[in-house]
Amino acid sequence: TQLLEQSPQFLSIQEGENLTVYCNSSSVFSSLQWYRQEPGEGPVLLVTVVTGGEVKKLKRLTFQFGDARKDSSLHITAAQPGDTGLYLCAGEGGSGGSNYKLTFGKGTLLTVNP
Amino acid sequence: KAGVTQTPRYLIKTRGQQVTLSCSPISGHRSVSWYQQTPGQGLQFLFEYFSETQRNKGNFPGRFSGRQFSNSRSEMNVSTLELGDSALYLCASSFFSRTVTEQYFGPGTRLTVT
């Protein structure tokens, strides 16, 4: 069974601070995705990373996929209250490629205070 | 394109009853996945349907079942409801590229069992 562990579980920071959240596994994934979920809504896809060592930037968000494709990080620069939400990572497949099924971590609940 | 729609958004049922939830995927998407989300367990995979066939299944009891119609719309049924079935039920439709499955979620159905 593939498991994804996210840390920290909870994070409360002030507006303007930087932060990094982590997604770790002992398993290899063919791809890894990050989602953000707001209360009462479904998760929204932010980014997909596929290649080991890949770095993607989305405005103030920077996503990195580990070289061995077992872990990922999300870094937010100058956090804003609008960044508040539950950040979920999800891994797909393994070294053999896609299996059309995502395994989700339990998420990091981020609160950015004004 | 319209997003994923789920009906109803909220539902209150009594123990022992059964419930049917509906999901309409993004136009052109042929895969629909269902997840149960609770504060303690996070997002747990129920099952995935592709072209009317169940392709993947999670570790849930047989009380949880689903089906997909020829227009890709999907329904999920839970029989003999238990208090522990109270959760947010999320449906996602999937886009497949060569190596990646990207899922787009609906807003969810909040089920409360009393």
Side-chain angles (χ1 to χ4, degrees), chain B residues 6-26:
Chain B
Q6 291 187 247
T7 57
R9 289 293 308 273
Y10 303 93
L11 206 48
I12 299 175
K13 290 286 188 178
T14 305
R15 271 181 303 176
Q17 288 186 314
Q18 75 166 22
V19 67
T20 298
L21 311 181
S22 180
C23 172
S24 292
I26 292 171

Side-chain angles (χ1 to χ4, degrees), chain A residues 7-49:
Chain A
S7 61
Q9 190 176 354
F10 300 98
L11 187 56
S12 180
I13 61 171
Q14 294 299 123
E15 182 176 1
E17 293 183 358
N18 301 331
L19 67 115
T20 302
V21 298
Y22 300 92
C23 174
N24 295 299
S25 176
S26 58
S27 303
V28 173
F29 291 99
S30 60
S31 68
L32 197 138
Q33 297 168 29
W34 285 91
Y35 293 79
R36 180 171 69 212
Q37 184 178 21
E38 298 186 15
E41 298 296 328
V44 174
L45 178 64
L46 296 174
V47 77
T48 301
V49 285

